[in-house]
Amino acid sequence: MSGVWIFDRRGVARLITHPTRESFEQRPDHQPGTATAPGARPRVLVYLPANQVIRSYDELEQRLGELGWTRYRPKVDGLVQFHRSASTAHLISLPNRFSDLKPFHMYDIVVKNRSFFQVRDPC
């Protein structure tokens, strides 16, 4: 069989024998804080001490503020940034809209705050 196999969100595969651009543009609904790549599993960022799923920048800014991070406000288009202090190079750069947050952004937060955040599959 020749063609391209496409997997939907439920993991069901279908064969497209003569692929066109339009056949690949059937995108699933975009959920806040999830991956949008075809076949990618959605992820959520969890604040471990409260077992709270972070659903907005307001919640994230509050939790990062408790850990010593402050909002960095330079003239950078398309980014929301947090820094730990002026004496360190720690910087977290995120997209302007929370709905555009991808797993690699979440893992950046986790790496810089290991015992406070975790990336999980939504339940």
Side-chain angles (χ1 to χ4, degrees):
M1 288 189 277
S2 64
V4 177
W5 287 95
I6 301 293
F7 293 87
D8 67 10
R9 291 190 319 183
R10 296 183 316 262
V12 177
R14 64 184 170 98
L15 177 65
I16 300 176
T17 54
H18 301 289
T20 62
R21 177 184 291 173
E22 291 77 27
S23 62
F24 293 104
E25 290 180 354
Q26 299 173 353
R27 295 185 179 152
D29 294 337
H30 187 69
Q31 299 173 356
T34 63
T36 57
R41 294 180 302 183
R43 304 286 187 165
V44 293
L45 182 66
V46 177
Y47 180 68
L48 293 175
N51 200 28
Q52 172 194 12
V53 175
I54 303 297
R55 299 187 190 280
S56 69
Y57 276 139
D58 292 333
E59 293 175 5
L60 180 61
E61 187 169 2
Q62 175 191 356
R63 296 305 185 180
L64 287 175
E66 293 170 4
L67 300 174
W69 292 86
T70 57
R71 188 108 176 229
Y72 188 62
R73 299 187 190 271
K75 296 289 183 188
V76 179
D77 292 334
L79 291 177
V80 172
Q81 295 181 317
F82 297 93
H83 69 102
R84 181 152 281 166
S85 72
S87 62
T88 66
H90 295 292
L91 186 68
I92 298 173
S93 296
L94 306 171
N96 255 349
R97 293 183 4 206
F98 190 79
S99 62
D100 293 336
L101 198 68
K102 305 280 189 253
F104 71 88
H105 295 115
M106 296 178 194
Y107 283 114
D108 187 32
I109 295 168
V110 170
V111 166
K112 293 172 181 164
N113 301 280
R114 289 193 187 276
S115 58
F116 295 98
F117 288 97
Q118 188 177 55
V119 177
R120 296 183 186 165
D121 292 328
C123 296

